[in-house]
Amino acid sequence: VESILVNDGSVFELDPRVRSAHTPTCLVLRQGERTVLISLLRDGSLHLDNAKELENQGYGTMGARKIFEHPELMEALFNWSPEPELNFFEEQFGSLLKGRGLDVGCGNGRILLPCVLQRGWCVDGIDESLSSTRWVQSKLPSSNGCRIFRARVEYFCSPNSYSYAFACMNSIRYLTSMHQLRAHLGSLGNSVIPGGAYLFHLDLRPDPATPYRSSWDFAWEGRPHRATWLLHSFDHLSSQIIEEVVIEDVERQVEVTREYQRQGYFPIATLLSLFRDGCPWKLEATFDDRFERASVDREARGNFWFLLRRVS
Ligand SMILES: C[S@@+](CC[C@H](N)C(=O)[O-])C[C@H]1O[C@@H](n2cnc3c(N)ncnc32)[C@H](O)[C@@H]1O
C-alpha cells in the first residue's frame, strides 16, 4: 500500500519506509520496531481521526508536510537559472513551439513561468500538488490562456491538445513502477499530436543500491539553509528507491524537515524496451546534462534527456 483514501476525501500517503499489509477490514503498519493495527471503514477507507493519529505518529502524511506542497520553499530550493533548459527546448522543439505545450510535473513553475512570461510560449502545466498548481496559476495573467491542472501524470489526458511536452528535473522518477510509466507514456501519447515531441529528464544508474548524497546551500527566510538528497534504501522486490531529503537551517543548526520520497527505478534496458512496437512514441535522441548528444547503454550514469517523437 502506498496510499489510502480517507473518509473526508483526502489521501493518506504512507511513509515509504513503512511496511504494510491489509485485509478488507484492517490495515497493519510496521515502522522499525513499532507495529499498529488500524480498522478500516466499510468502504475500505481510513477514518480521518485515525489518519491524523497515524500522521502524528510518523506513519505517513496527508500532504501538508511534503516539500512539493510548499511552492515558496521549492522556489528557494531550486533557484537555478531556467535559461539553459529553455534554450534547449528552442533547439529541439523548433516550430512546434508555435503550438500549445505541456509541462509534466510543473511544480512551482520554475520552467513553466519563464516559458510563458519571458519567451511568450503557450504552456499548460500539470502537477499532483494542489498548492503548487494554485501558486503557478496565481502568477499567470488571466488573459494568456495557459491552463494549470491538478492531475497525476500517469492518468492526465487531453486528446490531441499539445504540440510538445516536457518533464524537467527528474519529475518522471516519481512514477513508482514500470506500469505507471507505461500509463504515463500512453496517456501523454494521446495528448500530443502525431509529429509532436516529448523531452523528459531522468536520472540513470546501473547500480541503484549504491549510496549517493548531494548537498547544496540556499537562502530561505533570510537565513542560510542546506539541502541534502541521499539514498535511504533500494527495494529489489518492488524496484523502488527511497530517497531521503534533509533541510537544515545552517545558522540555527536545526533540522527543518526530513522527508522520505518513493521513486521508481527504471533500468535502461527495460526503459528502452518501452519504445518498441505498440508504443505511441519513438525514441529519437538522448542528451546528457550539458544538453549534448550522448548515447545511453546499460552502464549509463547521471542525468539524461530523452527526446521522444509521437508516431502516428
Ligand atoms: C522534482 S519536482 C520538479 C518540478 C519541476 N518539473 C521543475 O523542474 O522544477 C517534481 C514534481 O513532480 C510532481 N509529481 C510527482 N509525482 C507526480 C505525479 N504522479 N503526478 C503529477 N505530479 C507529480 C511533484 O508534486 C513535484 O512538483
Side-chain angles (χ1 to χ4, degrees):
V1 181
E2 291 182 11
S3 61
I4 183 155
L5 268 178
V6 182
N7 71 333
D8 71 339
S10 60
V11 175
F12 182 79
E13 274 183 51
L14 287 185
D15 183 308
R17 294 167 302 164
V18 169
R19 300 271 164 199
S20 63
H22 71 108
T23 70
T25 52
C26 71
L27 185 64
V28 183
L29 303 178
R30 211 178 92 209
Q31 159 92 294
E33 296 299 304
R34 294 182 296 153
T35 303
V36 65
L37 176 72
I38 307 286
S39 289
L40 296 174
L41 298 171
R42 251 186 237 165
D43 62 1
S45 68
L46 195 58
H47 193 284
L48 180 61
D49 293 344
N50 286 336
K52 283 184 181 160
E53 186 51 33
L54 287 174
E55 188 172 56
N56 286 337
Q57 291 185 21
Y59 284 96
T61 172
M62 280 183 287
R65 294 186 186 172
K66 287 167 62 178
I67 291 168
F68 295 154
E69 287 296 333
H70 294 276
E72 305 92 330
L73 174 60
M74 285 174 81
E75 191 171 67
L77 191 56
F78 307 121
N79 65 355
W80 38 82
S81 165
E83 286 300 301
E85 278 141 306
L86 268 52
N87 294 340
F88 181 52
F89 295 168
E90 212 151 49
E91 270 168 39
Q92 299 306 325
F93 292 141
S95 62
L96 291 173
L97 290 168
K98 291 188 196 131
R100 187 180 285 269
L102 181 70
D103 185 343
V104 172
C106 63
N108 64 311
R110 183 183 70 88
I111 297 294
L112 185 145
L113 291 172
C115 281
V116 175
L117 303 176
Q118 290 164 25
R119 304 276 171 126
W121 304 333
C122 180
V123 182
D124 290 355
I126 52 172
D127 200 283
E128 69 173 352
S129 158
L130 180 58
S131 46
S132 289
T133 45
R134 291 171 84 154
W135 160 278
V136 177
Q137 188 78 70
S138 75
K139 306 272 172 197
L140 290 169
S142 53
S143 55
N144 86 348
C146 297
R147 301 162 307 191
I148 309 299
F149 302 98
R150 183 200 192 188
R152 290 192 61 98
V153 302
E154 56 273 44
Y155 307 123
F156 175 82
C157 182
S158 177
N160 291 321
S161 295
Y162 299 103
S163 298
Y164 63 97
F166 53 85
C168 303
M169 207 161 70
N170 260 312
S171 295
I172 289 304
R173 69 178 177 171
Y174 290 97
L175 294 171
T176 56
S177 67
M178 213 42 146
H179 80 257
Q180 282 193 3
L181 180 58
R182 259 194 210 101
H184 168 57
L185 291 172
S187 52
L188 190 68
N190 276 295
S191 302
V192 171
I193 54 171
Y198 181 29
L199 260 175
F200 70 86
H201 183 244
L202 189 65
D203 173 59
L204 298 179
R205 55 188 71 233
D207 43 8
T210 302
Y212 58 83
R213 163 189 287 263
S214 78
S215 286
W216 71 94
D217 295 334
F218 66 102
W220 169 240
E221 293 179 334
R223 289 190 307 283
H225 281 64
R226 179 160 307 134
T228 305
W229 298 62
L230 64 144
L231 179 77
H232 173 269
S233 55
F234 173 65
D235 181 17
H236 289 267
L237 221 59
S238 61
S239 202
Q240 286 179 348
I241 289 170
I242 299 178
E243 219 171 51
E244 191 171 345
V245 185
V246 186
I247 296 183
E248 298 155 282
D249 183 327
V250 178
E251 208 170 82
R252 295 184 178 164
Q253 298 193 336
V254 290
E255 188 175 297
V256 177
T257 188
R258 182 177 293 258
E259 176 175 319
Y260 296 86
Q261 298 184 340
R262 194 191 306 270
Q263 298 165 358
Y265 171 62
F266 308 118
I268 186 67
T270 323
L271 198 58
L272 296 179
S273 73
L274 287 180
F275 306 117
R276 302 214 180 103
D277 297 347
C279 178
W281 300 101
K282 179 169 96 53
L283 177 60
E284 201 163 275
T286 44
F287 304 82
D288 63 19
D289 231 6
R290 288 162 300 155
F291 309 105
E292 282 164 16
R293 270 190 190 251
S295 57
V296 294
D297 58 22
R298 280 168 199 274
E299 293 308 309
R301 183 185 298 279
N303 288 313
F304 289 86
W305 289 92
F306 287 71
L307 175 63
L308 308 185
R309 183 74 49 193
R310 168 77 164 84
V311 288
S312 46

